[in-house]
Amino acid sequence: MSDPARESQVEAKARRGRNIALALGLVLFVILVFVVTIVRLGASVTQQPF
Amino acid sequence: MAMTEAVSAPAAKAPARWQDFVQLLKPRVMSLVVFTGLTGLVCAGRWVNPILAGVAILCIAVGAGASASLNMWYDADIDAKMRRTRSRPVPSGRVQGADALALGVVLSMFSVMLMGMALNWLAAGLLAFTIFFYAVVYTIWLKRWTAQNIVIGGLAGALPPVIGWAAASGSVPLNAWLLCAIIFMWTPPHFWALSLYTSEDYKKAGVPMMPLVAGAASTRKQILIYSLLFAPLCLVPALTGLGGPYYLAVAALGGLVFVLLAVRLFRSHAGEVGKQRKDDGLYDVRAGAKDARNLFAFSILYLTLLFATLLVEHLMRIKPLELS
């Protein structure tokens, strides 16, 4: 029979890994949207007549 | 639902790790899609901000991963029956089908919206169509219904260079569709060569691959016909100005080898397990499988070389001023 304490430990480790990956993904997405906005905005600004 | 039954009875359920979710995205397929998409983007010949070009490639990669995840969600029942696919995250029970579906939907929306916002909506629309075509038209409809599944479904794999081209230029001229046509015509000989020596797996899963429906001899004949159409098609970019002299040399030499391998496969007994010669039947079957494997392996090399040559030629055409 498998040890329930060890099982929960493995499960907790896997959950922690998934949560970190999800957090990193979300942070990357936010950074990506910010950078894209700045690049697109920059292109529009340089095209404006002063 | 049969699929749920197949998925709900794993031998030993391990908790899902983040690596399992990465596996849902089929990273190896993703790398090929990224490569052809990048070639389309560079061949468009328009200057694109490197950050936006990177975002375009990321969106194509994530879109491909999303459709792979949707494919693994829907195909979990047949994946569980095939030796090649039974260890995938959903049939092995490591990831719930609903999680694979959610990941696929979320990443589809993410990639399409970001492509539209960062590049243009033509590229985003083409990306959305590609995901829809692979996940719905190919996976849900064609794959289990017709032996022409990979012929029609091959369009999804052929579109990334068109998306890359659209992302860079906002348009899709004839040359972009030429790249699409090359991958489209490459797909049947490539997959049918593979299915000639893996058809037992497909038989177990009930997937109507060409060797199971039409027989090995008919499949070998169709591979030869497609190869005879595919090889000259690869020369066309040299005529339209898309490919240069290096491309022409690679396309011509590689095309010749491709056709020769297809002829050898046509003359072999590949896929005919029961048909054995009196003197040495076992060797006969092995020799046939070898011809199918040779064409399958060379098809990957040839397509990679074609697109790599185009990529290098177009990178060489960029003037130093454009880089600064």
Side-chain angles (χ1 to χ4, degrees), chain B residues 17-307:
Chain B
R17 298 171 308 148
W18 64 269
Q19 292 94 330
D20 294 322
F21 288 91
V22 173
Q23 212 189 323
L24 281 177
L25 309 180
K26 296 189 187 173
R28 271 196 300 178
V29 177
M30 206 192 256
S31 62
L32 186 69
V33 167
V34 163
F35 176 55
T36 57
L38 175 69
T39 305
L41 190 134
V42 172
C43 287
R46 297 278 182 88
W47 188 86
V48 187
N49 184 302
I51 294 171
L52 296 184
V55 170
I57 296 302
L58 178 73
C59 289
I60 293 173
V62 173
S67 37
S69 186
L70 293 171
N71 170 274
M72 286 211 208
W73 157 68
Y74 192 79
D75 276 350
D77 59 336
I78 54 178
D79 281 352
K81 292 174 190 162
M82 297 203 285
R83 201 174 41 180
R84 189 171 63 87
T85 54
R86 69 168 64 127
S87 63
R88 283 178 174 176
V90 182
S92 65
R94 298 197 304 277
V95 173
Q96 294 291 312
D99 290 341
L101 172 65
L103 183 74
V105 171
V106 168
L107 290 185
S108 299
M109 284 160 49
F110 159 80
S111 57
V112 172
M113 295 305 289
L114 191 62
M115 180 71 99
M117 199 183 80
L119 280 306
N120 59 67
W121 291 100
L122 175 65
L126 283 164
L127 182 61
F129 175 77
T130 306
I131 296 169
F132 171 81
F133 198 86
Y134 186 76
V136 178
V137 178
Y138 170 69
T139 302
I140 297 179
W141 180 34
L142 294 170
K143 188 171 177 179
R144 297 163 193 245
W145 176 61
T146 170
Q148 297 294 329
N149 47 16
I150 55 104
V151 179
I152 310 166
L155 181 64
L159 279 169
V162 181
I163 302 169
W165 199 301
S169 68
S171 63
V172 274
L174 193 66
N175 274 335
W177 292 111
L178 196 51
L179 293 178
C180 175
I182 287 172
I183 303 177
F184 185 79
M185 291 300 289
W186 166 87
T187 308
H190 169 76
F191 275 107
W192 285 339
L194 171 73
S195 69
L196 276 173
Y197 60 92
T198 54
S199 58
E200 279 305 304
D201 241 13
Y202 288 112
K203 193 176 180 180
K204 271 187 242 163
V207 179
M209 288 303 281
M210 191 57 83
L212 297 171
V213 176
S218 171
T219 307
R220 293 196 304 268
K221 189 168 85 181
Q222 292 187 67
I223 287 174
L224 181 62
I225 293 168
Y226 271 99
S227 302
L228 289 170
L229 295 170
F230 168 65
L233 180 70
C234 293
L235 301 174
V236 179
L239 304 174
T240 63
L242 179 62
Y246 297 113
Y247 175 84
L248 181 62
V250 169
L253 282 173
L256 197 66
V257 175
F258 197 101
V259 170
L260 284 173
L261 289 174
V263 170
R264 279 181 62 178
L265 177 59
F266 174 68
R267 295 171 70 176
S268 76
H269 294 290
E272 293 175 22
V273 182
K275 191 170 182 173
Q276 295 180 354
R277 286 191 314 208
K278 280 179 188 170
D279 52 342
D280 193 351
L282 186 62
Y283 176 76
D284 196 24
V285 173
R286 280 182 184 167
K290 197 177 147 200
D291 288 325
R293 269 198 296 266
N294 285 346
L295 182 64
F296 173 73
F298 184 74
S299 67
I300 298 170
L301 177 69
Y302 184 44
L303 192 75
T304 308
L305 280 176
L306 283 179
F307 277 75

Side-chain angles (χ1 to χ4, degrees), chain A residues 7 10-11 14-15 17-18 21 28-29 32-33 35-37 39-40, chain B residues 15-18 21 49 51-52 55 58 110 114 116-120:
Chain A
E7 263 181 34
V10 170
E11 206 162 304
R15 193 186 307 119
R18 291 199 306 267
L28 186 71
F29 178 66
L32 215 54
V33 171
V35 171
V36 166
T37 308
V39 171
R40 297 279 296 193
Chain B
R17 298 171 308 148
W18 64 269
F21 288 91
N49 184 302
I51 294 171
L52 296 184
V55 170
L58 178 73
F110 159 80
L114 191 62
M117 199 183 80
L119 280 306
N120 59 67

